[in-house]
Amino acid sequence: MKKFSIVIAGGGSTFTPGIVMMMLDNIDRFPIRTLKLYDNDGERQAILGEALEILLKEQAPDIDFSYTTDPETAFTDVDFCMAHIRVGKYAMREQDEKIPLNHGVVGQETCGPGGIAYGMRSIGGMMEIIDYMEKYSPDCWMLNYSNPAAIVAEACRVMRPNAKVLNICDMPVGTLRRMSQIIDKEPKDLEVRYFGLNHFGWWTSVKDKEGHEYLPQIREYVAENGYLTKVEVDTQHMDQSWQETHKKAKDLLAVNPRYLPNTYLKYYLFPDYEVNHSSCTYSRANEVMDGREKTVFTAAKKIVEKGTAENSGFTIDSHASFIVDLARAIAFNTHERMLMIVENNGAIANFDDDAMVEVPCIVGSDGPEPLAQGKIPAFEKALMHQQVTVEKLVVEAYITGSYQTLWQALTLSKIIPSAEVAKNVLDDLIVANKGFWPELS
Ligand code: NAD
Ligand code: LMR
């Protein structure tokens, strides 16, 4: 079997060790010859890089491992770039969450004003790594799961329409794992139909390979418990705030009982509840810094101190194995069925062709082929249209540097109550994002 060369962009990410461990766990299905980490923060990346060097020497000495901040070294001779960058890191995530909250508005990483602010930062960073990839390894594919995925995907569509970038999200994967537990199945046994935007969609069918429909059974459970399950299904979505989010799916279902909701819809359908249950001084960013970031970086430092990765504390992110499935689909033309963020072009029959939507696709060597999801009802369509227009306006504002356009984007966001609040939030975000956003006028 061919062995592949991989670069992880955002090598200093808290997800890097889990993904490397996951790739080692899948090495028979997806052999690796070279693994490189790339980050523009050399100091942060080196902590994980040094630890992973030790781990790989012990567990997979055949893999040529390195870490670098030099784009040419990172992107030369690679088949796949797995991208998970966070432009501005957690310090800016904290601002994205707290600035809107100080104005009485939901502060969230990817939804509403927080997501818009993060999007305005991410676009430049994403375009930069796409350009490096195209310059140094023109045949390489980027598997991108950097957030906010909806805005990043729209920016790719408009700014780099021919780039080999696949945009994917782990949230539907995580929720499907929960659904599979509810009905006592394996996720791989299930096939779904789904439509929406990223962090903004609905499952319309969950069937096993024999064609049995489980949606009514799952719905009955979610109506009582949300997506809260008894057993831990992944490590990423287990903190207290996530437990509340899984539970809240119960109320989302009550609004729209026909389909099973993506958990992120809570920020759009219950923004007042969300604000009342958030703290302006301790947000999700703080929870992640005190939790996942501390755990991962402490484990890395211990490995380096002891000189061995035995009992390291690095855990396999098994829930991220969809990344290997996606790479295999491209590399081996497996025609795996996966939810991807793609240009609509009729997949949702009564929705704009040029919207970046999240739908099931068959993925092979030429990339994703979206599966037709038919027409969608008025309620979901109207919500999606409002939200996709916000995402398009953000990308337009980034390209044109227009204050007015970004103000309109914020004003249109369902999460923000008025143009006045939108302006106040925007003005604070501009100050906080100096040096990260293009100058607006
Ligand atoms: P993190 O801050 O720990 O890591 C991100 C890394 O990206 C940092 O080391 C940072 O220095 C680096 N970086 C920032 N800008 C860069 C640039 N221009 N070039 C190269 N590197 C750059 O963040 P994290 O919490 O581990 O999350 C990483 C990313 O993955 C985020 O975008 C997050 O939203 C995303 N994420 C996506 C999914 C999904 O399935 N879509 C799931 C979880 C996290
Ligand atoms: C993360 O940092 O884990 C996010 O990408 C999602 C979350 O947990 O808020």
Side-chain angles (χ1 to χ4, degrees):
M1 217 190 292
K2 185 182 169 187
K3 289 187 171 187
F4 297 93
S5 173
I6 316 276
V7 60
I8 298 182
S13 159
T14 55
F15 293 105
T16 297
I19 293 207
V20 170
M21 300 283 283
M22 182 276 294
M23 288 199 283
L24 294 184
D25 203 42
N26 283 272
I27 204 83
D28 296 343
R29 299 198 307 137
F30 188 67
I32 298 174
R33 66 179 162 90
T34 308
L35 179 60
K36 299 186 254 191
L37 308 186
Y38 166 74
D39 204 290
N40 63 1
D41 180 341
E43 226 173 279
R44 180 179 175 89
Q45 173 173 260
I47 301 170
L48 301 183
E50 268 187 70
L52 284 169
E53 193 162 40
I54 294 169
L55 184 140
L56 281 152
K57 252 190 208 130
E58 288 176 351
Q59 298 188 15
D62 291 346
I63 296 178
D64 178 9
F65 175 78
S66 59
Y67 52 97
T68 179
T69 55
D70 174 43
E72 183 172 356
T73 311
F75 286 90
T76 299
D77 181 32
V78 283
D79 302 302
F80 290 98
C81 170
M82 300 183 175
H84 54 202
I85 64 169
R86 182 186 292 284
V87 179
K89 294 174 274 192
Y90 291 122
M92 288 310 296
R93 178 179 182 170
E94 194 177 356
Q95 298 291 318
D96 294 344
E97 293 169 349
K98 291 182 178 174
I99 289 173
L101 276 171
N102 281 326
H103 291 273
V105 175
V106 170
Q108 209 279 327
E109 180 190 24
T110 62
C111 303
I116 291 172
Y118 186 13
M120 287 289 286
R121 290 197 305 277
S122 292
I123 295 171
M126 282 303 302
M127 296 308 126
E128 187 179 85
I129 59 172
I130 291 171
D131 291 347
Y132 290 146
M133 174 181 92
E134 294 201 312
K135 179 169 178 193
Y136 297 115
S137 286
D139 294 330
C140 181
W141 283 86
M142 182 178 289
L143 316 187
N144 177 53
Y145 38 101
S146 311
N147 269 318
I151 292 171
V152 166
E154 170 65 7
C156 291
R157 186 189 73 80
V158 175
M159 298 170 74
R160 298 293 184 275
N162 301 316
K164 290 161 88 171
V165 180
L166 302 169
N167 290 296
I168 190 160
C169 174
D170 72 338
M171 197 60 226
V173 180
T175 305
L176 186 66
R177 281 169 78 103
R178 291 177 177 275
M179 292 181 192
S180 66
Q181 253 195 22
I182 291 167
I183 55 176
D184 202 15
K185 294 269 165 199
E186 289 299 317
K188 284 274 171 209
D189 297 338
L190 299 173
E191 257 176 18
V192 307
R193 289 176 65 77
Y194 182 100
F195 71 83
L197 314 170
N198 179 243
H199 286 183
F200 202 104
W202 294 265
W203 283 265
T204 60
S205 169
V206 183
K207 286 186 180 176
D208 64 17
K209 298 278 157 76
E210 285 72 50
H212 180 81
E213 179 63 81
Y214 287 95
L215 194 129
Q217 190 183 332
I218 300 169
R219 182 164 44 203
E220 217 171 281
Y221 181 94
V222 176
E224 282 284 312
N225 312 287
Y227 293 120
L228 270 187
T229 51
K230 289 169 195 82
V231 188
E232 276 200 12
V233 281
D234 65 68
T235 45
Q236 189 195 342
H237 303 116
M238 293 309 294
D239 287 341
Q240 184 52 34
S241 64
W242 267 109
Q243 302 298 355
E244 279 153 30
T245 298
H246 298 311
K247 203 158 107 198
K248 194 71 185 161
K250 169 184 167 153
D251 296 335
L252 295 173
L253 187 72
V255 179
N256 186 11
R258 188 172 357 196
Y259 304 139
L260 296 165
N262 187 302
T263 53
Y264 281 91
L265 286 163
K266 80 168 183 173
Y267 300 108
Y268 301 94
L269 300 184
F270 293 97
D272 45 354
Y273 166 92
E274 195 49 38
V275 170
N276 291 333
H277 288 79
S278 302
S279 154
C280 294
T281 51
Y282 195 85
S283 68
R284 171 69 184 152
N286 301 109
E287 197 179 31
V288 175
M289 286 187 272
D290 290 344
R292 186 174 72 233
E293 189 184 40
K294 225 168 236 165
T295 309
V296 168
F297 280 81
T298 306
K301 285 173 190 157
K302 275 221 177 97
I303 292 173
V304 176
E305 239 171 66
K306 291 199 298 189
T308 172
E310 255 174 62
N311 307 318
S312 67
F314 278 174
T315 49
I316 302 176
D317 190 351
S318 58
H319 131 277
S321 59
F322 68 93
I323 294 165
V324 163
D325 293 339
L326 178 57
R328 290 189 79 248
I330 297 287
F332 303 123
N333 203 24
T334 63
H335 292 127
E336 174 114 5
R337 186 177 166 138
M338 311 181 82
L339 289 196
M340 306 283 302
I341 306 160
V342 290
E343 192 163 351
N344 186 33
N345 284 329
I348 300 170
N350 54 344
F351 203 62
D352 303 6
D353 276 350
D354 65 354
M356 291 305 280
V357 295
E358 194 162 50
V359 288
C361 295
I362 300 295
V363 190
S365 298
D366 295 331
E369 291 179 58
L371 293 171
Q373 299 302 298
K375 287 189 178 168
I376 59 172
F379 176 72
E380 294 85 338
K381 187 181 162 205
L383 285 170
M384 279 170 59
H385 196 258
Q386 182 179 22
Q387 177 58 20
V388 85
T389 309
V390 172
E391 290 156 9
K392 283 180 178 296
L393 288 173
V394 173
V395 173
E396 190 187 319
Y398 179 88
I399 294 169
T400 58
S402 164
Y403 178 97
Q404 191 79 44
T405 307
L406 198 58
W407 182 18
Q408 287 177 357
L410 284 150
T411 303
L412 192 61
S413 173
K414 187 165 165 46
I415 284 174
I416 300 186
S418 76
E420 189 184 350
V421 176
K423 193 171 195 314
N424 294 338
V425 173
L426 175 57
D427 289 344
D428 283 359
L429 287 173
I430 288 174
V431 174
N433 281 279
K434 200 163 171 48
F436 286 111
W437 287 8
E439 290 277 332
L440 300 179
S441 55

